[in-house]
Amino acid sequence: MKLLHKDIEKDNAGQVTLVPEEAEDMWHTYNLLQVGDSLRASTIRKVQTESPTGSVGSSRVRTTLTLCVETIDFDTQACQLRVKGTNIEENQYVKMGAYHTIELELNRKFTLAKKNWDSVVLDRIDQACDPTQRADVAAVVMQEGLANLVLVTPAMTLLRAKVEVTIPRKRKGSCTQHEKGLEKFYEAVMQAILRHINFDVVKCILVASPGYVKDHFTTYLFSEAVRQDNKILLENRPKFMLVHSSSGHKYSLKEVLSDPTVTNRLSDTKAAGEVKALEDFYKMLQHEPDRAFYGLGHVEKAADALAVDTLLISDKLFRHQDIPTRSRYVRLVDNVRDNGGTVRIFSSLHVSGERKLLLPSCS
């Protein structure tokens, strides 16, 4: 995300102009938008035209509209964001008060105006515009015939490819068809890795599976890299790390990132840091229950007593459409930070944020 302009007044009202540069930026924008905000962006509008002869036709024109936001729809798979609202500025194609839906586009600027920019939203902009916050972990979670290739960014877990290949069973006295099926499967996974992983950015590629599937695959991968003289794979071989998982399904990624050897390897990434923070909380809840609290009321009391060392909270709570409720969560975050505590805001699209979070570890 690129920040082009920022104008926030002392009363916290104002506007920012941003340019989404990659798919994940749409997720950040989704978390910035609220009902009642003002959004100005380029869009396509279907308009009717009447010729001098009286015939009516229609055409699609590009124009810039300013909407008062009413509904926000985010497609998590395609990372597409649609915003519906009423037009609040004069336009030659759209009447005042008319409804329109803007689909925000990559590399096209938009301006977002709010009556109140709170600390959580401003932190989200800082995070989105930080060039160091990128997908630095990739994972291939696999079993025979099934593989999920996932990019783990600081804000979300993105499924980039799902490979499914039917592998014939071994027959008595002959394994030829089975081996051909495996080779076809391994080749498809290899092509997915080359297509979807940016080796200039990714620091570590986790290959996880039950049994020896991961070992057989990496043997195939690098023998093919040698045969094809694929320098990208050969130069990045140290980035590959083999890990055990219970299955090849995406949900197994949670146990993979919780593995101590993985967290040590990924110690400098936010993904591993969030998973570790959650694991630490559950350990404290089990062994020192007097120091671990959850639920809004209990957490607020702990914060008022200056007893919160670390607050774990889901970004889903800040998308609440009831302003007093949202403000209550923001005040809690500000309270903890003002008193020297650490706040970790978990993304609901990240493997670490799949559970509802409002958890402090108390000192």
Side-chain angles (χ1 to χ4, degrees), residues 53-69:
T53 60
S55 61
V56 177
S58 63
S59 61
R60 293 164 63 85
V61 297
R62 181 169 287 280
T63 185
T64 299
L65 294 180
T66 304
L67 303 183
C68 178
V69 178

mmCIF file with all atom_site columns, all heavy atoms in Angstrom, residues 53-69:
data_model
loop_
_atom_site.group_PDB
_atom_site.id
_atom_site.type_symbol
_atom_site.label_atom_id
_atom_site.label_alt_id
_atom_site.label_comp_id
_atom_site.label_asym_id
_atom_site.label_entity_id
_atom_site.label_seq_id
_atom_site.pdbx_PDB_ins_code
_atom_site.Cartn_x
_atom_site.Cartn_y
_atom_site.Cartn_z
_atom_site.occupancy
_atom_site.B_iso_or_equiv
_atom_site.pdbx_formal_charge
_atom_site.auth_seq_id
_atom_site.auth_comp_id
_atom_site.auth_asym_id
_atom_site.auth_atom_id
_atom_site.pdbx_PDB_model_num
ATOM 1   N N   . THR A 1 53 ? -32.203 11.335 -32.793 1.00 0.00 ? 53 THR A N   1
ATOM 2   C CA  . THR A 1 53 ? -33.368 10.698 -33.421 1.00 0.00 ? 53 THR A CA  1
ATOM 3   C C   . THR A 1 53 ? -34.310 10.088 -32.386 1.00 0.00 ? 53 THR A C   1
ATOM 4   O O   . THR A 1 53 ? -35.377 9.589  -32.726 1.00 0.00 ? 53 THR A O   1
ATOM 5   C CB  . THR A 1 53 ? -32.911 9.592  -34.389 1.00 0.00 ? 53 THR A CB  1
ATOM 6   O OG1 . THR A 1 53 ? -32.177 8.601  -33.653 1.00 0.00 ? 53 THR A OG1 1
ATOM 7   C CG2 . THR A 1 53 ? -32.047 10.159 -35.491 1.00 0.00 ? 53 THR A CG2 1
ATOM 8   N N   . GLY A 1 54 ? -33.899 10.082 -31.124 1.00 0.00 ? 54 GLY A N   1
ATOM 9   C CA  . GLY A 1 54 ? -34.773 9.555  -30.072 1.00 0.00 ? 54 GLY A CA  1
ATOM 10  C C   . GLY A 1 54 ? -34.456 8.137  -29.638 1.00 0.00 ? 54 GLY A C   1
ATOM 11  O O   . GLY A 1 54 ? -35.065 7.633  -28.693 1.00 0.00 ? 54 GLY A O   1
ATOM 12  N N   . SER A 1 55 ? -33.526 7.497  -30.337 1.00 0.00 ? 55 SER A N   1
ATOM 13  C CA  . SER A 1 55 ? -33.183 6.120  -29.942 1.00 0.00 ? 55 SER A CA  1
ATOM 14  C C   . SER A 1 55 ? -32.339 6.155  -28.672 1.00 0.00 ? 55 SER A C   1
ATOM 15  O O   . SER A 1 55 ? -31.524 7.041  -28.474 1.00 0.00 ? 55 SER A O   1
ATOM 16  C CB  . SER A 1 55 ? -32.419 5.417  -31.072 1.00 0.00 ? 55 SER A CB  1
ATOM 17  O OG  . SER A 1 55 ? -31.216 6.105  -31.348 1.00 0.00 ? 55 SER A OG  1
ATOM 18  N N   . VAL A 1 56 ? -32.566 5.162  -27.813 1.00 0.00 ? 56 VAL A N   1
ATOM 19  C CA  . VAL A 1 56 ? -31.881 5.095  -26.521 1.00 0.00 ? 56 VAL A CA  1
ATOM 20  C C   . VAL A 1 56 ? -30.841 3.979  -26.551 1.00 0.00 ? 56 VAL A C   1
ATOM 21  O O   . VAL A 1 56 ? -31.137 2.855  -26.971 1.00 0.00 ? 56 VAL A O   1
ATOM 22  C CB  . VAL A 1 56 ? -32.883 4.854  -25.370 1.00 0.00 ? 56 VAL A CB  1
ATOM 23  C CG1 . VAL A 1 56 ? -32.157 4.717  -24.035 1.00 0.00 ? 56 VAL A CG1 1
ATOM 24  C CG2 . VAL A 1 56 ? -33.897 5.985  -25.313 1.00 0.00 ? 56 VAL A CG2 1
ATOM 25  N N   . GLY A 1 57 ? -29.645 4.306  -26.132 1.00 0.00 ? 57 GLY A N   1
ATOM 26  C CA  . GLY A 1 57 ? -28.580 3.304  -26.041 1.00 0.00 ? 57 GLY A CA  1
ATOM 27  C C   . GLY A 1 57 ? -27.918 3.386  -24.679 1.00 0.00 ? 57 GLY A C   1
ATOM 28  O O   . GLY A 1 57 ? -28.232 4.253  -23.863 1.00 0.00 ? 57 GLY A O   1
ATOM 29  N N   . SER A 1 58 ? -27.010 2.467  -24.419 1.00 0.00 ? 58 SER A N   1
ATOM 30  C CA  . SER A 1 58 ? -26.294 2.482  -23.139 1.00 0.00 ? 58 SER A CA  1
ATOM 31  C C   . SER A 1 58 ? -24.802 2.283  -23.394 1.00 0.00 ? 58 SER A C   1
ATOM 32  O O   . SER A 1 58 ? -24.412 1.639  -24.377 1.00 0.00 ? 58 SER A O   1
ATOM 33  C CB  . SER A 1 58 ? -26.812 1.394  -22.200 1.00 0.00 ? 58 SER A CB  1
ATOM 34  O OG  . SER A 1 58 ? -26.582 0.112  -22.742 1.00 0.00 ? 58 SER A OG  1
ATOM 35  N N   . SER A 1 59 ? -24.014 2.845  -22.521 1.00 0.00 ? 59 SER A N   1
ATOM 36  C CA  . SER A 1 59 ? -22.565 2.684  -22.630 1.00 0.00 ? 59 SER A CA  1
ATOM 37  C C   . SER A 1 59 ? -21.963 2.703  -21.231 1.00 0.00 ? 59 SER A C   1
ATOM 38  O O   . SER A 1 59 ? -22.584 3.163  -20.268 1.00 0.00 ? 59 SER A O   1
ATOM 39  C CB  . SER A 1 59 ? -21.968 3.822  -23.477 1.00 0.00 ? 59 SER A CB  1
ATOM 40  O OG  . SER A 1 59 ? -22.231 5.074  -22.864 1.00 0.00 ? 59 SER A OG  1
ATOM 41  N N   . ARG A 1 60 ? -20.758 2.182  -21.134 1.00 0.00 ? 60 ARG A N   1
ATOM 42  C CA  . ARG A 1 60 ? -20.054 2.148  -19.857 1.00 0.00 ? 60 ARG A CA  1
ATOM 43  C C   . ARG A 1 60 ? -18.986 3.240  -19.862 1.00 0.00 ? 60 ARG A C   1
ATOM 44  O O   . ARG A 1 60 ? -18.165 3.312  -20.782 1.00 0.00 ? 60 ARG A O   1
ATOM 45  C CB  . ARG A 1 60 ? -19.410 0.777  -19.640 1.00 0.00 ? 60 ARG A CB  1
ATOM 46  C CG  . ARG A 1 60 ? -20.444 -0.333 -19.457 1.00 0.00 ? 60 ARG A CG  1
ATOM 47  C CD  . ARG A 1 60 ? -19.827 -1.713 -19.645 1.00 0.00 ? 60 ARG A CD  1
ATOM 48  N NE  . ARG A 1 60 ? -18.805 -1.991 -18.638 1.00 0.00 ? 60 ARG A NE  1
ATOM 49  C CZ  . ARG A 1 60 ? -19.072 -2.483 -17.434 1.00 0.00 ? 60 ARG A CZ  1
ATOM 50  N NH1 . ARG A 1 60 ? -20.326 -2.762 -17.082 1.00 0.00 ? 60 ARG A NH1 1
ATOM 51  N NH2 . ARG A 1 60 ? -18.103 -2.730 -16.566 1.00 0.00 ? 60 ARG A NH2 1
ATOM 52  N N   . VAL A 1 61 ? -19.025 4.090  -18.856 1.00 0.00 ? 61 VAL A N   1
ATOM 53  C CA  . VAL A 1 61 ? -18.081 5.199  -18.789 1.00 0.00 ? 61 VAL A CA  1
ATOM 54  C C   . VAL A 1 61 ? -17.317 5.129  -17.468 1.00 0.00 ? 61 VAL A C   1
ATOM 55  O O   . VAL A 1 61 ? -17.835 4.675  -16.452 1.00 0.00 ? 61 VAL A O   1
ATOM 56  C CB  . VAL A 1 61 ? -18.786 6.565  -18.906 1.00 0.00 ? 61 VAL A CB  1
ATOM 57  C CG1 . VAL A 1 61 ? -19.455 6.711  -20.255 1.00 0.00 ? 61 VAL A CG1 1
ATOM 58  C CG2 . VAL A 1 61 ? -19.799 6.765  -17.780 1.00 0.00 ? 61 VAL A CG2 1
ATOM 59  N N   . ARG A 1 62 ? -16.068 5.558  -17.511 1.00 0.00 ? 62 ARG A N   1
ATOM 60  C CA  . ARG A 1 62 ? -15.287 5.645  -16.276 1.00 0.00 ? 62 ARG A CA  1
ATOM 61  C C   . ARG A 1 62 ? -15.438 7.045  -15.700 1.00 0.00 ? 62 ARG A C   1
ATOM 62  O O   . ARG A 1 62 ? -15.264 8.042  -16.400 1.00 0.00 ? 62 ARG A O   1
ATOM 63  C CB  . ARG A 1 62 ? -13.812 5.336  -16.532 1.00 0.00 ? 62 ARG A CB  1
ATOM 64  C CG  . ARG A 1 62 ? -12.968 5.405  -15.249 1.00 0.00 ? 62 ARG A CG  1
ATOM 65  C CD  . ARG A 1 62 ? -11.585 4.846  -15.450 1.00 0.00 ? 62 ARG A CD  1
ATOM 66  N NE  . ARG A 1 62 ? -11.563 3.399  -15.555 1.00 0.00 ? 62 ARG A NE  1
ATOM 67  C CZ  . ARG A 1 62 ? -11.625 2.556  -14.526 1.00 0.00 ? 62 ARG A CZ  1
ATOM 68  N NH1 . ARG A 1 62 ? -11.762 3.030  -13.283 1.00 0.00 ? 62 ARG A NH1 1
ATOM 69  N NH2 . ARG A 1 62 ? -11.574 1.266  -14.718 1.00 0.00 ? 62 ARG A NH2 1
ATOM 70  N N   . THR A 1 63 ? -15.757 7.082  -14.415 1.00 0.00 ? 63 THR A N   1
ATOM 71  C CA  . THR A 1 63 ? -15.947 8.354  -13.736 1.00 0.00 ? 63 THR A CA  1
ATOM 72  C C   . THR A 1 63 ? -15.469 8.228  -12.295 1.00 0.00 ? 63 THR A C   1
ATOM 73  O O   . THR A 1 63 ? -15.173 7.123  -11.825 1.00 0.00 ? 63 THR A O   1
ATOM 74  C CB  . THR A 1 63 ? -17.433 8.785  -13.783 1.00 0.00 ? 63 THR A CB  1
ATOM 75  O OG1 . THR A 1 63 ? -17.582 10.087 -13.220 1.00 0.00 ? 63 THR A OG1 1
ATOM 76  C CG2 . THR A 1 63 ? -18.318 7.809  -13.018 1.00 0.00 ? 63 THR A CG2 1
ATOM 77  N N   . THR A 1 64 ? -15.397 9.342  -11.606 1.00 0.00 ? 64 THR A N   1
ATOM 78  C CA  . THR A 1 64 ? -14.984 9.335  -10.202 1.00 0.00 ? 64 THR A CA  1
ATOM 79  C C   . THR A 1 64 ? -16.170 9.729  -9.339  1.00 0.00 ? 64 THR A C   1
ATOM 80  O O   . THR A 1 64 ? -16.774 10.791 -9.558  1.00 0.00 ? 64 THR A O   1
ATOM 81  C CB  . THR A 1 64 ? -13.813 10.308 -9.968  1.00 0.00 ? 64 THR A CB  1
ATOM 82  O OG1 . THR A 1 64 ? -12.698 9.900  -10.763 1.00 0.00 ? 64 THR A OG1 1
ATOM 83  C CG2 . THR A 1 64 ? -13.399 10.289 -8.504  1.00 0.00 ? 64 THR A CG2 1
ATOM 84  N N   . LEU A 1 65 ? -16.515 8.878  -8.372  1.00 0.00 ? 65 LEU A N   1
ATOM 85  C CA  . LEU A 1 65 ? -17.662 9.115  -7.505  1.00 0.00 ? 65 LEU A CA  1
ATOM 86  C C   . LEU A 1 65 ? -17.221 9.192  -6.047  1.00 0.00 ? 65 LEU A C   1
ATOM 87  O O   . LEU A 1 65 ? -16.201 8.605  -5.657  1.00 0.00 ? 65 LEU A O   1
ATOM 88  C CB  . LEU A 1 65 ? -18.697 7.994  -7.656  1.00 0.00 ? 65 LEU A CB  1
ATOM 89  C CG  . LEU A 1 65 ? -19.416 7.862  -9.001  1.00 0.00 ? 65 LEU A CG  1
ATOM 90  C CD1 . LEU A 1 65 ? -20.390 6.694  -8.951  1.00 0.00 ? 65 LEU A CD1 1
ATOM 91  C CD2 . LEU A 1 65 ? -20.142 9.144  -9.357  1.00 0.00 ? 65 LEU A CD2 1
ATOM 92  N N   . THR A 1 66 ? -18.013 9.894  -5.256  1.00 0.00 ? 66 THR A N   1
ATOM 93  C CA  . THR A 1 66 ? -17.820 9.927  -3.800  1.00 0.00 ? 66 THR A CA  1
ATOM 94  C C   . THR A 1 66 ? -19.066 9.349  -3.159  1.00 0.00 ? 66 THR A C   1
ATOM 95  O O   . THR A 1 66 ? -20.172 9.885  -3.342  1.00 0.00 ? 66 THR A O   1
ATOM 96  C CB  . THR A 1 66 ? -17.589 11.365 -3.291  1.00 0.00 ? 66 THR A CB  1
ATOM 97  O OG1 . THR A 1 66 ? -16.470 11.934 -3.985  1.00 0.00 ? 66 THR A OG1 1
ATOM 98  C CG2 . THR A 1 66 ? -17.311 11.353 -1.794  1.00 0.00 ? 66 THR A CG2 1
ATOM 99  N N   . LEU A 1 67 ? -18.898 8.233  -2.446  1.00 0.00 ? 67 LEU A N   1
ATOM 100 C CA  . LEU A 1 67 ? -20.031 7.534  -1.849  1.00 0.00 ? 67 LEU A CA  1
ATOM 101 C C   . LEU A 1 67 ? -20.027 7.661  -0.335  1.00 0.00 ? 67 LEU A C   1
ATOM 102 O O   . LEU A 1 67 ? -18.967 7.706  0.293   1.00 0.00 ? 67 LEU A O   1
ATOM 103 C CB  . LEU A 1 67 ? -19.992 6.037  -2.202  1.00 0.00 ? 67 LEU A CB  1
ATOM 104 C CG  . LEU A 1 67 ? -19.970 5.627  -3.670  1.00 0.00 ? 67 LEU A CG  1
ATOM 105 C CD1 . LEU A 1 67 ? -20.005 4.100  -3.775  1.00 0.00 ? 67 LEU A CD1 1
ATOM 106 C CD2 . LEU A 1 67 ? -21.123 6.245  -4.440  1.00 0.00 ? 67 LEU A CD2 1
ATOM 107 N N   . CYS A 1 68 ? -21.233 7.700  0.226   1.00 0.00 ? 68 CYS A N   1
ATOM 108 C CA  . CYS A 1 68 ? -21.384 7.490  1.661   1.00 0.00 ? 68 CYS A CA  1
ATOM 109 C C   . CYS A 1 68 ? -21.571 5.986  1.850   1.00 0.00 ? 68 CYS A C   1
ATOM 110 O O   . CYS A 1 68 ? -22.547 5.401  1.364   1.00 0.00 ? 68 CYS A O   1
ATOM 111 C CB  . CYS A 1 68 ? -22.595 8.250  2.194   1.00 0.00 ? 68 CYS A CB  1
ATOM 112 S SG  . CYS A 1 68 ? -22.872 7.988  3.965   1.00 0.00 ? 68 CYS A SG  1
ATOM 113 N N   . VAL A 1 69 ? -20.624 5.344  2.504   1.00 0.00 ? 69 VAL A N   1
ATOM 114 C CA  . VAL A 1 69 ? -20.565 3.880  2.559   1.00 0.00 ? 69 VAL A CA  1
ATOM 115 C C   . VAL A 1 69 ? -21.745 3.298  3.343   1.00 0.00 ? 69 VAL A C   1
ATOM 116 O O   . VAL A 1 69 ? -22.038 3.742  4.461   1.00 0.00 ? 69 VAL A O   1
ATOM 117 C CB  . VAL A 1 69 ? -19.242 3.419  3.202   1.00 0.00 ? 69 VAL A CB  1
ATOM 118 C CG1 . VAL A 1 69 ? -19.198 1.907  3.315   1.00 0.00 ? 69 VAL A CG1 1
ATOM 119 C CG2 . VAL A 1 69 ? -18.059 3.941  2.388   1.00 0.00 ? 69 VAL A CG2 1
#
